[in-house]
Each structure stands twice: as C-alpha cells, then as structure tokens.
Amino acid sequence: MAVWFVTGASRGLGAEITRAALASGHSVVAAARDPRTVRAAFPDAGDRLLPVALDVTDGAQVQAAVEAGVEAFGRIDVLVNNAGRGLLGAVEEASDAEVRAVYDTNVFGVLTVTRAVLPVLRAQRSGHIVNLSSVGGFVSSAGWGVYASTKFAVEGLSEAMALELAPVGIGVTVVEPGYFRTDFLDSSSLHRVATVIEDYAEGPAGAMRTTAEQVNHGQLGDPVKAGPAIVSAIDSGRAPLRLQLGSDCVASVEAKLGAVRSELDAWREVAVSTDHDDVATPAR
C-alpha cells in the first residue's frame, strides 16, 4: 500500500481524501496546523496515520513534516497539496497584503511542500503529485479574480511538472472541484476584502458576495464522494492531468472550451497574420 502526504487534512476535502486513502489501506501523513484535530477526526486510524504540524508557509516546518513522514513510513508515494485560502472581492478592491496572503498559501505553499517532497519521489523513481485547484483555476469569474489567479498558477505549474517529472516515473494530477459542500465559504477559509468600492456593488462582483452567502452549505458537490473519487483515480495508475469534479465544473469547463474555440476561429486570420512572411501559415 502507498504512503500519502496530505496537507490541510483535518477538514473539508483534505479530510475526505485522508479518510478515503485510509479506507483503501494506505498510510497517511496527515498535515494540519494543529495535528490534534487530525487525530480527533480519525481516532481509529492507528499507526497508519501520522498527524504532523504544518503551516505550508513555514519552510522549516514543511521540511520537518516531510522528514517525519519518511522516518515513520520509509517513503512517500502520493503528495496532495490541498491546503488553501480563499479571497472574495473585485480585483481592484484587494489590497497588496490580502493578495500576498492568498498567494503565500495557494502558490508559494504548494511550491514549498512540493520542493520538499520531490527529492523523496525522485530517489524512488515513482510517485504522484495531486494539486488541488478549482473550477476557478480554469474558468475565472467576477469576485474571484485573485483567488482564481492563484489556481491558474497552480495549473500552469502542474502542466510543466507533468512534463518534467514523467521521465523519472512521477505523475501529476490537478483536481478541479466545482462548488462542494465544505466549509470553504465559511470565514475560517474564505477571506473577504476589507475595502469595498461602491462602483462594484451593483455589478457581478458585488452580486457574488451575496451568492457566496446564499449557496454556503448548500453546494452541489458532495465531499464524501470526492475523496474516494480522487483516491480511486490515483490508485488506477492512469490518473489524468486534469480531474474535474462536480457537474457544475464540467458544465463550466465545457462552456469555456466552446467559447475559446469560437473566439479563436473568429480571430484566426488576425492571429496568423502576425507571423513573418517567410514562415508558412499552419493549416487549419
């Protein structure tokens, strides 16, 4: 059985991934800011669960957590970068400090944990990295611009790593959940911009503030189903680069693909006209 290393493992999708991995017979290094919450969430996991303290923005703590996992289980096979932070507000409304806080967790935290785990995976010549993105990592929307930009960054990193790591036997999957019924929209995970600009209040960014409150804990997606879906995909040995979760995510991705194709076709002549004259225009 494999050894999973899951960040943000005490609640939400992280807890459900941990639960599903344990149910499949795997061992889990379950990382959270307070490891006591992990043990409380999985009291019967026994010695297949190693709770570790982890703030993904603390490089020394990240390294210590990875070393503790290797010492306990001898290896790490699957890294799940799940810990995240949300920010709701129009792009202009977000302060420098608010933007940096989201990037520190969602982008630099992912990089810090990944850099700590990759030497282990490369030495084994095997393993898999699972990066939790969002439907917002593929389709941005008003009110979620800063948050979505962090997930777009995760997707770009994941695409590159998939190419870089394939030759050494390491796979990469980026998971794109739609709206799932977790506590993501609660104040414990989602932060709202402190400054509200009146010009945005009546537009889509302002409307999204109300929508987020209305849909909270009534979201379409079931996290209890998402955890096993992710674990099963990785266990299958043929996990995709992108794994969409939720029918709302599928609908949004399909709509964007269609819109991009339509716009590309409409502006194709302009696009290809900017090549040098001595370069053959590619066939349609």
Side-chain angles (χ1 to χ4, degrees):
M1 293 291 101
V3 177
W4 287 55
F5 188 109
V6 182
T7 69
S10 64
R11 58 195 177 102
L13 284 179
E16 296 305 331
I17 294 168
T18 298
R19 193 182 321 279
L22 291 169
S24 295
H26 302 307
S27 297
V28 180
V29 182
R33 288 178 179 268
D34 183 354
R36 293 173 298 182
T37 61
V38 173
R39 183 57 71 185
F42 306 100
D44 302 321
D47 59 8
R48 287 194 296 115
L49 178 73
L50 177 67
V52 293
L54 183 62
D55 175 350
V56 297
T57 67
D58 184 332
Q61 197 173 60
V62 168
Q63 192 62 46
V66 172
E67 291 174 358
V70 174
E71 181 178 355
F73 298 118
R75 60 189 295 117
I76 293 172
D77 298 293
V78 181
L79 165 62
V80 181
N81 282 307
N82 168 73
R85 179 185 180 101
L87 181 67
L88 178 59
V91 172
E92 184 186 356
E93 294 173 329
S95 70
D96 186 73
E98 289 169 333
V99 173
R100 288 178 184 274
V102 181
Y103 268 81
D104 280 344
T105 296
N106 294 4
V107 180
F108 294 108
V110 167
L111 286 168
T112 299
V113 177
T114 301
R115 282 193 295 255
V117 173
L118 269 177
V120 179
L121 303 187
R122 286 190 293 102
Q124 296 167 176
R125 286 298 193 264
S126 66
H128 208 100
I129 296 173
V130 181
N131 289 330
L132 265 291
S133 176
S134 163
V135 62
F138 195 83
V139 184
S140 192
S141 56
W144 295 108
V146 171
Y147 171 76
S149 73
T150 66
K151 296 304 185 179
F152 268 64
V154 168
E155 301 235 354
L157 292 168
S158 299
E159 283 191 8
M161 287 194 299
L163 298 172
E164 294 165 356
L165 296 173
V168 291
I170 300 168
V172 177
T173 294
V174 59
V175 179
E176 298 171 344
Y179 276 108
F180 271 75
R181 204 170 299 178
T182 67
D183 57 4
F184 175 73
L185 295 180
D186 293 348
S187 59
S188 58
S189 295
L190 178 64
H191 300 260
R192 293 169 180 261
V193 293
T195 299
V196 176
I197 298 173
E198 188 61 29
D199 281 346
Y200 294 109
E202 300 303 320
M208 184 58 73
R209 299 185 227 273
T210 302
T211 299
E213 293 176 354
Q214 292 174 340
V215 304
N216 193 19
H217 297 297
Q219 296 96 319
L220 182 65
D222 185 352
V224 174
K225 295 180 180 178
I230 294 169
V231 172
S232 295
I234 304 306
D235 283 350
S236 73
R238 51 183 182 86
L241 172 59
R242 283 184 170 85
L243 177 63
Q244 288 85 24
L245 295 179
S247 58
D248 55 344
C249 176
V250 172
S252 294
V253 168
E254 287 179 336
K256 179 171 180 176
L257 291 174
V260 170
R261 168 55 66 185
S262 177
E263 191 171 63
L264 180 65
D265 288 341
W267 289 89
R268 180 181 297 275
E269 288 189 15
V270 173
V272 301
S273 72
T274 57
D275 290 349
H276 275 286
D277 291 339
D278 60 357
V279 176
T281 302
R284 291 189 60 164

